[in-house]
Amino acid sequence: MLVITETAPLADFCGRLATVPWFTIDTEFIRESTYYPRLCLIQLAGPDQGQEAIVDPLAPGLDLAPLVDLLDKPDVVKVFHAARQDLEIFYHLNGRLPAPLFDTQVAAMVCGFGDQVSYEKLAGALAGTQIDKSARFTDWARRPLAKRALDYALSDVTHLRKVYRKLCEQLVQSDRIGWLAEEMAILADPATYRTEPEQAWKRLKPRGRSRKQFALLQALAAWRERTAQQKDLPRNRVIKDEQLFDLAAQAPTTAEALAATRGLSADFSRSKMGREIVETVAGVLAQPSESWPAPPADDNLAPVPGPLVELLKVLLKQRCDEAQVAPKLVAGVSDLEAILRDDEADVPALHGWRRALFGNDALALKHGRLALAAGGGQVRVVPVPEG
């Protein structure tokens, strides 16, 4: 097993992978006590046996520049499984995303392997191997790592080679390469991994219709996000969600008022973060009230009949089973509810291949132009005669 801890061997290995059409890649990381994930291992494998290596990014003096250059190669496909967290790491590492991409989890959903299928399941189904998961909870930041842990980490890319080949064959046979391309475009969008503090409130569910409270929640959530990023701490290590809501409701403008907030001590209220919270609140209150933003409309205020949602669920399952594609890739419950509220809802199910597969039928069922019938142990979609 090749474990790379120095820059020269990394440059040599990456130079060899730069000549292949694709390679598989995975990472091991920890983020329990940090805002950003801490990269601990990078596993790489070219198409052929003997083209495997583990890169130790924690090795003193190791420069990852050769790997960054490899990830930028436009003529080499980078194959991940469940890529989003790995891509987040590389985006924050060098400000760019690897390209072009292929995510075997998404491809498997397109090929009918179910919602968010695990690597272990795919490796069993397509590579005929069983993954030993006994090392999956390894502390990847610890050194030295046991051979068993390194073997487990490397298996995440070696078996992925066969999985990738098999999925490519199925995508070509089913003529669904274009379906996958739409999903890869989302993964390849830097906005997917960029967390703007001013948008941090969207992680929360604003309560009530008070413009003042909503303006305070926006400002406080932005302050927490910036602080978490600067200090590299999880958001809730800075201040918990419930405390943000309490602060927005109480609007403390003094250290004494801040200390009265549930879970915040007098010491915290006198700290630098405490002073920043008081200043943030005061800044919002100093604005003209007419400048405070209105809370977003609550979609739940326009309820949809439960039986209609259930009918669309049945239709979704029927169409996806028929097409052998994972239902979750086509639409979620919130998408179905949005379709019932609005024929022009901006949801994926009403765009592209999803609309052809399901969206048009969903609208027809909603308006009584289609019906569902049972027979022979199956659900059938039946056109409703006009008039």
Side-chain angles (χ1 to χ4, degrees):
M1 180 188 303
L2 176 60
V3 179
I4 297 175
T5 59
E6 297 179 346
T7 305
L10 177 62
D12 177 68
F13 183 75
C14 289
R16 284 182 278 143
L17 284 191
T19 66
V20 302
W22 56 267
F23 62 87
T24 57
I25 179 170
D26 187 41
T27 67
E28 307 297 341
F29 58 90
I30 55 175
R31 71 181 312 168
E32 288 80 3
S33 60
T34 59
Y35 181 90
Y36 298 104
R38 184 186 182 196
L39 181 59
C40 298
L41 284 184
I42 306 164
Q43 305 95 275
L44 303 160
D48 300 320
Q49 294 292 329
Q51 295 179 322
E52 310 92 17
I54 291 178
V55 180
D56 182 0
L58 300 183
L62 178 65
D63 185 352
L64 292 177
L67 176 63
V68 171
D69 291 342
L70 175 63
L71 295 176
D72 283 341
K73 289 284 183 183
D75 54 347
V76 182
V77 177
K78 294 80 184 176
V79 181
F80 294 83
H81 180 81
R84 190 172 293 256
Q85 292 191 83
D86 300 310
L87 294 175
E88 180 189 0
I89 289 172
F90 289 120
Y91 178 72
H92 289 294
L93 178 69
N94 65 353
R96 299 189 303 280
L97 288 166
L101 301 170
F102 187 102
D103 188 327
T104 56
Q105 186 179 70
V106 177
M109 293 170 75
V110 171
C111 292
F113 281 89
D115 295 338
Q116 295 182 320
V117 60
S118 69
Y119 175 63
E120 290 80 7
K121 181 178 178 180
L122 275 185
L126 298 179
T129 190
Q130 185 172 355
I131 305 295
D132 178 6
K133 298 188 290 185
S134 61
R136 69 186 307 174
F137 297 115
T138 297
D139 178 358
W140 297 108
R142 179 176 296 177
R143 296 294 183 271
L145 287 167
K147 183 178 182 302
R148 178 173 61 89
L150 294 173
D151 288 339
Y152 168 78
L154 194 61
S155 72
D156 281 347
V157 291
T158 53
H159 302 306
L160 195 58
R161 295 185 286 209
K162 191 167 186 178
V163 169
Y164 170 65
R165 289 188 175 104
K166 293 282 189 179
L167 287 172
C168 284
E169 290 174 6
Q170 293 190 24
L171 288 167
V172 170
Q173 290 170 4
S174 61
D175 195 24
R176 292 182 180 177
I177 293 290
W179 293 19
L180 184 67
E182 290 185 28
E183 303 309 306
M184 292 303 99
I186 296 172
L187 282 177
D189 184 354
T192 303
Y193 312 95
R194 204 179 289 132
T195 304
E196 302 293 346
E198 287 69 28
Q199 303 300 315
W201 66 270
K202 293 181 178 179
R203 294 177 172 273
L204 307 165
K205 290 187 177 181
R207 300 169 181 174
R209 305 299 301 162
S210 166
R211 294 168 67 102
K212 173 184 169 183
Q213 285 192 30
F214 180 57
L216 286 165
L217 183 65
Q218 277 191 329
L220 289 165
W223 166 81
R224 181 178 71 168
E225 200 74 19
R226 283 191 294 269
T227 302
Q229 292 173 351
Q230 292 165 3
K231 294 180 175 292
D232 195 17
L233 289 173
R235 295 175 189 88
N236 280 335
R237 291 278 188 93
V238 176
I239 195 167
K240 293 180 170 56
D241 290 353
E242 282 300 319
Q243 291 168 331
L244 280 183
F245 288 117
D246 287 348
L247 291 169
Q250 297 177 21
T253 56
T254 65
E256 292 74 21
L258 181 62
T261 302
R262 178 176 48 176
L264 299 184
S265 66
D267 287 342
F268 177 87
S269 69
R270 292 190 293 269
S271 70
K272 181 176 183 292
M273 286 200 294
R275 292 193 299 273
E276 289 173 350
I277 290 174
V278 168
E279 291 168 2
T280 299
V281 170
V284 172
L285 298 182
Q287 300 169 3
S289 59
E290 58 269 20
S291 70
W292 293 334
D298 187 350
D299 288 340
N300 292 325
L301 295 178
V304 295
L308 287 181
V309 177
E310 296 304 316
L311 277 178
L312 285 188
K313 285 182 183 178
V314 173
L315 176 66
L316 176 65
K317 184 73 165 58
Q318 191 276 340
R319 286 307 193 215
C320 289
D321 284 353
E322 188 176 69
Q324 294 190 319
V325 61
K328 188 171 183 177
L329 190 62
V330 178
V333 174
S334 61
D335 297 330
L336 302 183
E337 293 175 347
I339 290 171
L340 289 172
R341 293 189 186 97
D342 182 2
D343 286 2
E344 304 297 328
D346 186 16
V347 294
L350 294 183
H351 297 283
W353 63 267
R354 293 176 177 83
R355 182 164 188 137
L357 176 72
F358 168 73
N360 287 330
D361 285 346
L363 292 172
L365 181 65
K366 169 185 173 180
H367 292 292
R369 298 191 297 270
L370 284 181
L372 300 177
Q378 295 182 330
V379 172
R380 293 180 294 111
V381 180
V382 181
V384 175
E386 294 184 7

